[in-house]
Amino acid sequence: MNTLFRLRIFILGLGLLLPALSAYGDSFQQLEGTGLALASDPPGASVYLNGIKEGITPLTLPSLPPASYAIRLSKEGYFDRELTVTIPREGRLSVSLDLEKAVGTLVLRITSSSPDPVDPLIYVDGVLMQGSVLTLDEGSHSLRIRAFGWEDVSAVVYVKGRETWGFDALLAPARFGIASLRAERRRFNPDNPGSLGTTTVSFEVSAPGRGTFLVLNSAGQTLVQKELGPFTSWSQSISWDGRDQRGNILPNGNYTLKIEAAALTGDQTASAGLEAALDSSIYIAPSQTSAAVSGLSWAPAAELKAPLSWQLEGNLLFGKAPGEEAWRSLPFAVSFGMSLFERLEIGAAVNMTPRFEGKAPLFAGLSLKLGILKAGGWTGAAPLPLNLALGLRYGFSNDTELSPFGLPAGPELFLPFSVELNRLFAPGASRSSGAAKTGVSPRFNLLLVPALWWPAKDGLPGKPRGVVSGGLVFRRSPFSAALSVRTESSFDASPFQRVMTGGEIKFFPSLVVFSLSGGAWFESSRRGFYGGIGIGVIN
C-alpha cells in the first residue's frame, strides 16, 4: 500500500512539472536501477545537487538515496536550469534537460548628414553581420560600422541575455586620404613569365575620387602614367610589368611608384609612394625537383631560386628499368623546393614505384644547396657569367639504390658549376647597362657537376662512387628545354658502370608548369628507357 501511494505521488509531481518544461523539450523517465541519471543538450554542464557540485553531464549517481533534491545545471554561454526532483525508492530517475543559449538583442540606429540612404557594413568581433537588429551572445563585443566615404565608428558594447539593447551611431564625412600603400613584389624581373614578372600595387582610399599612377626614375622623370578611378570602394590596385609607357622593359635599377589622387568633390588631395627595383638576376623559372634538388633530370643546377620563391611538382613515368620488364604501374614523384635566403635553397621529394605484388620501392630525399657564385654577381654588378654552388643530398630507400627519377639512396656531395653562354658571348645584353628592350632574352646555360656518392644499403652508406653529371639548358619564357646526363663509376671497378641520359621540356605561362621528359639508362649491356609528364606550381 505504501509503495503504491509513493508511486502515485511521483506521477502526480511529474505531471505538474512537465507542462512547465515542455518548451524545452526535456524528458523524465523511470528506469530500472537506483539513483539519478542526468543529461543535458548540449552536454558538458556542471551539475549541482543541493548546492554541491557533483560532476559534468552526462552524469549517473546510482547510490543517491531516495529523497527530494534541488538540481542546477550551469554551462558558460547558457542560462542556468534549476528544478527540484524526487528520487523514488524503486527505479532510477533519468532526466534530460535542454539548455537555452544566453543571447540578447542589439538594435543599431545609424544616421548620417547625407540625405541619401547609407548602406554601412557592420562587423561584430570581426565578423560581417546582416541587418541592424542583431542577436548576440551575452557579453562584451567589439562593434565596427563602416561606410565608404564616411568615418568608421568603433565601440565595445555589452549585451545581456533575454534583453534588448540599443546603440546610436552618427556617421561623419571622411576626409579624403590614401593609406596602406604596398607592392606585392618590391624587387622583380619583367622577364619572368605571367604574374611572376609583374608587381601589384595596392592601396586604400577613404572616399570617392580619382587618381594617377606614376613610375619615376632616380632623376625624377615620369616613365609611366596611368589614370585610376573613379574610386567606389576602399581597396584599389594596379599592376606594373616593369615597362615604360611605350612597352619597353626598363633597365635594372630603383624606381618610385607613386599614387596621386583627389576627392570627387571639394579640393582635398592625397599622394603616397614607395620604392621598387627591377633586377634581371631574379629569374624565376621551373626546374626538375623530383630528385629532391633543383636542376635537370640528371644534374643538380648551379643556380639558386630567387629568394623566397618556391616550386611544388608532381611527376609520372612510364617505361622500363635496365634488365627489368616494363612498369605495370607508373612510378610517381612529389617534390618541393624553396629558396629560404638569397644563398640557401632546400629541397625535398618522395618517389615511389607501385607494384601489384611484393614490396614497392619507396624513396625520400632532402637537400641543401649553398650559393657561392652567381652570374652577374649577387648585387647585379659583377660581370662574371658563372654560377657555382655546393650541395648535399641524402636519400632514404627501402629497396634499390637509385630511383627512376634519379634520387640516390645515401649521402651525395655535389659541386654544380655553370656558365651562362649568353652573358659570355654577349655581355652587353644585360639590362644593367641601362638599355631598355622590348623582348625577353633567351638564356643558354652549360652545366657540369662533379659529385661523390656513398650508396646506402640497409640504411648504411657504403663505399663511395664518383659521379659526373652535366647538361645544356635553353630558357626563354615561357619555355625551357634541357638535355642532361649522369655517369657513375666505382673507384675499384671499370669506369662509367652506369649512364643515365634525359631530355625535358617545360611550359610555364604563369604560375602553373607543364613538363614532358624522356631518356634512357645504360648499365653494362642492359638498357632501359622512360618517358614522363608532370605538372607543378611556381611562385
Side-chain angles (χ1 to χ4, degrees):
M1 186 70 177
N2 290 337
T3 301
L4 181 60
F5 177 76
R6 286 194 296 270
L7 182 59
R8 288 175 178 175
I9 293 296
F10 172 76
I11 294 174
L12 177 62
L14 198 58
L16 294 175
L17 185 64
L18 285 177
L21 301 175
S22 60
Y24 289 101
D26 301 331
S27 67
F28 294 80
Q29 293 179 312
Q30 187 171 1
L31 307 175
E32 293 184 359
T34 59
L36 174 67
L38 277 170
S40 67
D41 184 15
S46 298
V47 179
Y48 296 86
L49 263 64
N50 296 335
I52 300 174
K53 184 175 180 179
E54 298 289 345
I56 303 293
T57 60
L59 177 67
T60 300
L61 301 172
S63 59
L64 199 65
S68 293
Y69 295 91
I71 297 177
R72 178 167 64 92
L73 301 187
S74 180
K75 183 177 177 65
E76 185 177 359
Y78 293 82
F79 292 113
D80 287 0
R81 290 294 308 275
E82 297 182 2
L83 71 160
T84 301
V85 298
T86 300
I87 307 300
R89 291 186 179 276
E90 297 180 3
R92 172 179 296 172
L93 178 60
S94 175
V95 179
S96 178
L97 302 177
D98 285 351
L99 301 181
E100 179 186 356
K101 197 167 180 61
V103 296
T105 301
L106 179 66
V107 179
L108 303 177
R109 296 178 288 269
I110 304 171
T111 58
S112 71
S113 59
S114 172
D116 300 323
V118 177
D119 186 18
L121 301 177
I122 299 169
Y123 296 88
V124 176
D125 299 328
V127 178
L128 180 63
M129 310 295 287
Q130 300 294 328
S132 58
V133 179
L134 309 176
T135 300
L136 304 176
D137 293 344
E138 182 177 82
S140 296
H141 300 274
S142 63
L143 173 67
R144 186 184 186 191
I145 302 173
R146 301 196 76 194
F148 184 60
W150 303 88
E151 296 287 351
D152 289 3
V153 173
S154 298
V156 176
V157 296
Y158 182 83
V159 176
K160 188 170 180 60
R162 294 178 179 154
E163 294 186 7
T164 298
W165 295 66
F167 183 85
D168 295 315
L170 177 61
L171 301 180
R175 180 174 179 79
F176 185 81
I178 298 174
S180 303
L181 179 66
R182 58 197 178 276
E184 178 190 20
R185 293 182 176 87
R186 298 293 291 268
R187 196 176 194 91
F188 70 101
N189 179 6
D191 281 349
N192 288 326
S195 60
L196 299 176
T198 66
T199 186
T200 299
V201 179
S202 305
F203 59 99
E204 292 186 359
V205 294
S206 58
R210 292 181 181 274
T212 305
F213 171 71
L214 304 170
V215 178
L216 311 176
N217 61 14
S218 57
Q221 298 173 315
T222 300
L223 306 175
V224 176
Q225 182 172 328
K226 295 182 179 180
E227 298 302 315
L228 303 173
F231 306 135
T232 58
S233 63
W234 295 282
S235 299
Q236 306 294 324
S237 64
I238 184 172
S239 293
W240 180 49
D241 58 5
R243 289 167 166 80
D244 63 16
Q245 203 76 14
R246 293 173 295 178
N248 296 320
I249 295 180
L250 293 171
N252 288 341
N254 295 323
Y255 296 88
T256 300
L257 311 184
K258 191 174 183 181
I259 304 294
E260 294 182 347
L264 287 182
T265 59
D267 57 356
Q268 295 178 359
T269 61
S271 64
L274 54 79
E275 295 293 319
L278 300 184
D279 186 351
S280 59
S281 69
I282 303 176
Y283 190 67
I284 301 177
S287 56
Q288 198 74 11
T289 58
S290 53
V293 63
S294 64
L296 310 181
S297 294
W298 299 106
E303 297 174 296
L304 271 66
K305 299 181 184 297
L308 299 182
S309 67
W310 53 268
Q311 177 176 345
L312 178 65
E313 187 175 30
N315 299 86
L316 287 172
L317 293 182
F318 59 87
K320 63 181 292 292
E324 298 183 7
E325 296 181 355
W327 293 312
R328 297 173 59 191
S329 58
L330 301 182
F332 68 88
V334 178
S335 55
F336 177 79
M338 181 178 184
S339 178
L340 296 177
F341 306 103
E342 193 170 39
R343 299 195 186 203
L344 181 63
E345 182 179 301
I346 62 171
V350 175
N351 299 177
M352 188 174 184
T353 304
R355 289 177 178 170
F356 294 108
E357 298 177 357
K359 183 170 60 175
L362 176 66
F363 282 78
L366 299 170
S367 71
L368 286 174
K369 188 160 57 173
L370 178 67
I372 300 174
L373 290 176
K374 178 181 178 181
W378 294 104
T379 61
L384 292 175
L386 308 178
N387 296 289
L388 179 65
L390 176 64
L392 176 64
R393 170 170 56 184
Y394 200 104
F396 307 86
S397 172
N398 67 348
D399 191 77
T400 58
E401 63 181 28
L402 187 70
S403 83
F405 295 92
L407 177 57
E412 183 180 65
L413 187 66
F414 54 91
L415 189 72
F417 173 87
S418 69
V419 179
E420 293 197 0
L421 301 179
N422 52 308
R423 287 179 180 265
L424 182 65
F425 296 110
S430 171
R431 293 205 314 273
S432 61
S433 62
K437 64 175 185 174
T438 57
V440 178
S441 296
R443 293 173 177 241
F444 294 90
N445 279 22
L446 185 62
L447 175 65
L448 180 66
V449 188
L452 279 178
W453 172 36
W454 291 262
K457 186 176 182 181
D458 299 326
L460 299 176
K463 295 181 179 180
R465 290 185 191 171
V467 178
V468 177
S469 59
L472 180 64
V473 187
F474 167 79
R475 292 193 183 105
R476 182 166 187 167
S477 297
F479 294 96
S480 70
L483 297 172
S484 61
V485 61
R486 173 186 172 101
T487 64
E488 302 171 8
S489 61
S490 299
F491 293 108
D492 56 357
S494 60
F496 307 120
Q497 63 178 187
R498 181 189 286 152
V499 178
M500 286 75 67
T501 62
E504 62 204 62
I505 298 175
K506 292 185 179 291
F507 174 57
F508 45 106
S510 184
L511 302 180
V512 181
V513 182
F514 304 93
S515 61
L516 294 173
S517 61
W521 296 285
F522 303 91
E523 291 185 12
S524 301
S525 60
R526 298 177 300 174
R527 298 180 181 180
F529 66 89
Y530 72 93
I533 59 174
I535 188 170
V537 179
I538 56 173
N539 193 16

